[in-house]
Amino acid sequence: MKQYSQLVPLVISKLLPFGAKYTQAVQTDDWEVSSKLCRIFSDLGEAYMPFVEQGSAEAMSICNTLFECAAHPDPEVNTMTFNFWASLAQALLTSTDKEQKIPPFTPYFLKLQAVLLTHMMLPDKFETWKEDHQEEIKNYRRYNLADTFRAATSIVGIEVTLTSLYDNLSRAAANYQQSNDWRPLECTLYAVRSVARAVDCTLDLPVLPKILDVVMAVPHVNLVEYTAVLIAGRYADWLRTHPTLLPQLLNFAISKLENAEVASAAALSFRNLCDGCSATMRQYQEPLFQVYDRSNKLNLDFLDHAEIITGLSIVISGLPAESLQPALERMCLPLVEQIHHWATAAPQQQQAEQQKERRFAAQPPPPPPPQGPEACAALGTALKKLSIIFRRVAADEIKASCYAVFEKIWPMLDQVIQQYIGSELVLKKACCAVREAVITCGAAALPLLVPLLQRCCWAVAAGQHHAPLRVVSSLVRAFHGERNTASVFLGALSELAKTATGLVRRSEDFALHPALVRHFFVLCQRCVFEFPTLFLKSGPALIVPLLRWSLLGLSIQEREASKALLGFHTDVFRAVKETGMQDDLERTLRSADAVDPTTGMVAVPLGVMLVQGWLLCVAGWQPYGCIPLVRDALSSALAAAPSLALELSASALAGFSLLPNEADAPAKTVLLQALRAPDAMANAGRGPLLRALEDFCRACRHSGSSTPESSAGSPSPQ
């Protein structure tokens, strides 16, 4: 640009005369010409932005022309200019001499704000439009107009913008009294809402309370009230330091909960006010609970009720410990009553201990839930709300109070899990509530560790579902640092492993239970990370069966399950390196009781089968995206035991049978050389190992026998 700076004004002077043609095209409704010229002018302004921000006469001519383009009534045309205005605002604000550069452009951004305000006005009879057409207009306002209006505000200044908007609000309110046209009022309110994040909380802004007074006095038009009530929550950060109007705005938002068309906005504003002004809102604890109690009786959508629960949970999180427990119990009480109703309404089911001991494969499918689908849905909703409470009530100093509440609720949740073991919805929501409570209570919930683990092990066996596994993972994360918990967790993992291997016996079974496989290996990863020494010392009792069983699942096509499975392999070798247990690893990998995943017959060392399983993933058992995961596994093996890993890799490659063509054979050699390279264990970027695996992948898949179906019958590696 600097090299050809003298030519820029010449180029601009040749193009700007087309502005008259643009004006003529707009006047004659020639959309094609006006849109193409607008595109040219916009590209011109963006391309020569360093020249435009200098503020020369030619630059101002570009701004004039693009302002006319921005005023075009068609959104497809005027949106072409918005990137120019946003880029210009950014260039001016980041300039080293912005104090000198900004003033000449301020009048243009002021005029742009007026034009954008006109575009923000909803079309006539908008409320009668089809939903998809309404959504197009909303997206236009949300992602184009509002963003550009904020960019203009950054140049004009927030105080000047709010003053101008207040004048517009006053005129629009007076106009509504005469014409009943609510659209100018609504679009101005929308602009007020869009600049909320630009307001400095430390500024007094005398005009803002006047605007908020107008907001609380809007007419009873659904779309106007919807926009107005969102403003109350959007300015929560400013209200935190200027709480004078907080009670009135809170009452304004609460009063709209009974209007079904505005309830979602009211609930969101309630949550934002509680979040932004939580310290001040604690003095209104009793009125907030009244709102919560009343919302339980209103016909609100779940998401709206969730916003109210979240807001109140945030407020009570800041209470002292002696006040938190009664407040938390009061929040949980309506939900506990609902859950208790459905739990006690169901007939008691026999929970014989022999079910817990029976092998998974021999068990019948879970029994149907004792109540119908509607009851399960109601119970699931109550459990989900309980989860939100424990998720949002979070502070280190209140863990004991949270546990005191959870301890009272746990027997009821335990009963729900037992009676609704056949309902996937209820089981998932109940486990989610337990998991959130455990995460919130932390180490304070240690007394419940054994009962929780016992129930989770039973639920996995009886319900054939992955949700209890997530609870166990949360328990490991919460209690791994406590004394004498490692052996308890590894005992539970052994029992869960027996259950999982009893259900998933063949490679085909992995595809039937991808979520269970995924979360089981995520749990294994968590145990390896938290208890590496005990896990690796388990030897034939745990780690060998898990590695052998995982080989059967390497062909699973579910991405997250495959990622967890290969990640488990990687974490095992990383744990070996960190603990220095190479001797235990060598004994494990040289054990010759593993089963070939391709034939199920030939017994070869487990380590060879493990490496060959990774190569089969690259060869076609897994999508192309698995290559980095296999690279990670190989790198971690090389880092943990270099000589052993090379020996096993050489044996695996020597017997690999998916490269029948001699022309493809060098792929093996290149891969083995990459494994022997000094940087093979670095596991970073696109190193030689990753490139060698990619070449190996292409060679195998090019051979035509790389799919799981075709490789299942291939010759076994010797």
Side-chain angles (χ1 to χ4, degrees):
M1 182 68 72
K2 294 181 179 179
Q3 184 178 359
Y4 302 103
S5 58
Q6 296 180 351
L7 296 178
V8 173
L10 179 62
V11 173
I12 294 175
S13 64
K14 296 294 185 182
L15 290 175
L16 286 182
F18 286 95
K21 281 199 170 187
Y22 170 82
T23 304
Q24 182 182 1
V26 173
Q27 292 173 350
T28 58
D29 291 332
D30 192 339
W31 183 90
E32 186 172 355
V33 172
S34 60
S35 63
K36 289 181 178 179
L37 287 174
C38 181
R39 171 59 66 193
I40 292 173
F41 296 143
S42 299
D43 291 346
L44 176 69
E46 293 177 40
Y48 295 137
M49 185 60 66
F51 173 79
V52 173
E53 66 176 291
Q54 300 304 319
S56 63
E58 291 83 0
M60 295 307 176
S61 298
I62 293 177
C63 290
N64 274 320
T65 303
L66 283 171
F67 171 74
E68 292 184 21
C69 295
H72 197 285
D74 191 335
E76 291 190 26
V77 178
N78 57 48
T79 51
M80 298 179 189
T81 69
F82 292 166
N83 191 54
F84 164 79
W85 293 109
S87 300
L88 177 58
Q90 182 67 19
L92 293 173
L93 291 171
T94 56
S95 177
T96 54
D97 53 344
K98 61 181 179 181
E99 289 78 8
Q100 289 75 35
K101 286 186 176 181
I102 288 179
F105 291 95
T106 301
Y108 291 97
F109 282 99
L110 274 170
K111 293 192 298 181
L112 179 65
Q113 283 184 328
V115 166
L116 294 173
L117 202 58
T118 303
H119 292 329
M120 285 182 183
M121 187 181 301
L122 295 174
D124 192 18
K125 297 182 179 179
F126 174 77
E127 62 274 19
T128 64
W129 286 24
K130 292 182 178 180
E131 186 176 349
D132 54 341
H133 294 166
Q134 288 184 357
E135 195 62 29
E136 289 180 7
I137 296 297
K138 290 178 182 178
N139 289 337
Y140 170 56
R141 295 209 304 178
R142 184 185 303 125
Y143 300 117
N144 294 300
L145 297 174
D147 288 347
T148 310
F149 196 91
R150 280 190 290 269
T153 301
S154 65
I155 300 298
V156 173
I158 187 61
E159 191 164 3
V160 174
T161 299
L162 290 176
T163 302
S164 174
L165 290 174
Y166 174 68
D167 293 338
N168 279 279
L169 275 177
S170 301
R171 289 193 296 269
N175 178 68
Y176 176 77
Q177 299 297 330
Q178 299 175 1
S179 64
N180 279 343
D181 187 2
W182 51 267
R183 295 177 303 139
L185 179 60
E186 193 277 337
C187 73
T188 309
L189 290 170
Y190 189 87
V192 172
R193 174 189 162 201
S194 68
V195 298
R197 295 292 183 258
V199 173
D200 188 345
C201 299
T202 62
L203 297 179
D204 286 336
L205 297 175
V207 70
L208 191 49
K210 298 178 182 179
I211 291 176
L212 295 177
D213 285 336
V214 176
V215 166
M216 291 184 285
V218 295
H220 297 295
V221 179
N222 287 337
L223 288 173
V224 177
E225 288 185 320
Y226 187 93
T227 304
V229 77
L230 285 174
I231 292 175
R234 190 61 69 90
Y235 282 86
D237 291 340
W238 187 82
L239 290 167
R240 180 175 60 247
T241 55
H242 305 79
T244 306
L245 288 175
L246 179 57
Q248 297 94 308
L249 285 167
L250 181 60
N251 288 331
F252 172 68
I254 292 170
S255 66
K256 305 303 177 185
L257 285 172
E258 297 184 4
N259 184 346
E261 300 295 328
V262 189
S264 59
L268 179 58
S269 284
F270 178 87
R271 181 254 179 92
N272 288 337
L273 287 170
C274 291
D275 191 7
C277 310
S278 57
T280 307
M281 296 282 271
R282 288 181 202 124
Q283 60 184 298
Y284 308 120
Q285 181 179 336
E286 184 58 32
L288 293 179
F289 270 109
Q290 292 176 4
V291 174
Y292 173 70
D293 294 337
R294 192 176 71 179
S295 68
N296 288 321
K297 301 174 183 177
L298 295 175
N299 188 23
L300 296 178
D301 289 341
F302 172 79
L303 293 178
D304 299 339
H305 203 176
E307 298 286 12
I308 296 174
I309 293 173
T310 300
L312 184 54
S313 300
I314 292 171
V315 172
I316 69 172
S317 293
L319 294 174
E322 62 273 11
S323 302
L324 173 67
Q325 183 176 340
L328 186 55
E329 289 178 349
R330 185 173 175 181
M331 278 198 74
C332 295
L333 180 60
L335 303 175
V336 169
E337 290 176 348
Q338 294 179 40
I339 297 170
H340 180 72
H341 167 73
W342 294 114
T344 55
Q348 294 291 332
Q349 295 184 2
Q350 298 296 327
Q351 305 297 340
E353 284 299 319
Q354 60 268 26
Q355 284 190 348
K356 183 179 176 182
E357 301 297 332
R358 291 168 62 189
R359 291 191 61 81
F360 199 100
Q363 292 184 354
Q371 300 291 335
E374 294 183 2
C376 291
L379 183 55
T381 300
L383 289 167
K384 192 172 182 180
K385 291 177 181 178
L386 191 65
S387 302
I388 296 173
I389 294 176
F390 280 107
R391 184 185 310 136
R392 297 300 181 180
V393 178
D396 291 337
E397 59 274 11
I398 62 176
K399 292 183 180 298
S401 299
C402 293
Y403 170 67
V405 177
F406 176 52
E407 187 180 24
K408 296 178 181 179
I409 296 176
W410 162 242
M412 181 189 62
L413 294 175
D414 186 27
Q415 184 180 6
V416 169
I417 291 173
Q418 294 180 66
Q419 294 185 354
Y420 286 84
I421 193 66
S423 171
E424 180 177 349
L425 171 66
V426 176
L427 180 61
K428 183 177 179 180
K429 301 305 180 187
C431 289
C432 180
V434 174
R435 188 176 72 252
E436 296 295 344
V438 167
I439 293 172
T440 299
C441 297
L446 185 60
L448 286 178
L449 173 59
V450 173
L452 287 169
L453 284 175
Q454 289 175 345
R455 182 54 62 209
C456 288
C457 291
W458 174 86
V460 172
Q464 306 180 9
H465 198 267
H466 66 272
L469 293 173
R470 300 188 65 187
V471 177
V472 179
S473 293
S474 298
L475 290 170
V476 174
R477 188 163 56 247
F479 303 132
H480 69 274
E482 301 298 323
R483 182 180 299 180
N484 300 326
T485 57
S487 58
V488 176
F489 281 119
L490 290 181
L493 182 62
S494 298
E495 185 173 347
L496 290 170
K498 292 177 183 177
T499 299
T501 54
L503 170 66
V504 184
R505 295 176 176 273
R506 302 171 303 170
S507 298
E508 296 82 357
D509 296 336
F510 279 83
L512 300 177
H513 305 277
L516 189 142
V517 171
R518 169 194 172 188
H519 289 288
F520 177 79
F521 281 107
V522 167
L523 172 60
C524 291
Q525 288 181 272
R526 174 62 60 178
C527 290
V528 171
F529 180 77
E530 302 295 356
F531 319 114
T533 303
L534 283 179
F535 190 92
L536 293 173
K537 284 184 177 180
S538 64
L542 182 59
I543 188 171
V544 171
L546 283 180
L547 288 174
R548 185 191 312 135
W549 181 60
S550 68
L551 289 172
L552 296 173
L554 286 175
S555 61
I556 189 171
Q557 295 297 301
E558 206 274 332
R559 185 183 65 174
E560 294 301 323
S562 173
K563 182 179 178 181
L565 199 153
L566 289 170
F568 167 65
H569 293 168
T570 302
D571 288 348
V572 167
F573 287 104
R574 287 176 179 169
V576 170
K577 181 182 179 182
E578 293 173 1
T579 57
M581 299 178 63
Q582 282 80 3
D583 293 340
D584 298 85
L585 174 70
E586 184 167 0
R587 284 194 298 271
T588 299
L589 296 184
R590 290 190 185 280
S591 59
D593 57 349
V595 178
D596 185 345
T598 60
T599 65
M601 295 183 296
V602 181
V604 294
L606 176 59
V608 175
M609 293 303 303
L610 197 61
V611 176
Q612 193 169 49
W614 298 340
L615 297 178
L616 286 170
C617 290
V618 175
W621 272 13
Q622 291 293 331
Y624 190 80
C626 78
I627 295 178
L629 299 175
V630 174
R631 184 271 315 271
D632 293 346
L634 284 169
S635 297
S636 61
L638 289 167
S643 58
L644 175 62
L646 284 173
E647 178 188 339
L648 297 175
S649 300
S651 299
L653 282 168
F656 199 78
S657 57
L658 290 185
L659 288 170
N661 299 326
E662 294 185 2
D664 296 326
K668 293 183 182 180
T669 305
V670 172
L671 178 56
L672 194 57
Q673 290 174 349
L675 289 169
R676 290 170 177 164
D679 59 346
M681 63 185 69
N683 189 23
R686 288 185 55 80
L689 180 55
L690 182 62
R691 290 193 293 270
L693 284 171
E694 290 174 345
D695 293 341
F696 185 82
C697 173
R698 284 190 289 269
C700 291
R701 301 186 189 220
H702 177 70
S703 69
S705 58
S706 58
T707 63
E709 292 79 2
S710 60
S711 57
S714 60
S716 173
Q718 302 296 329

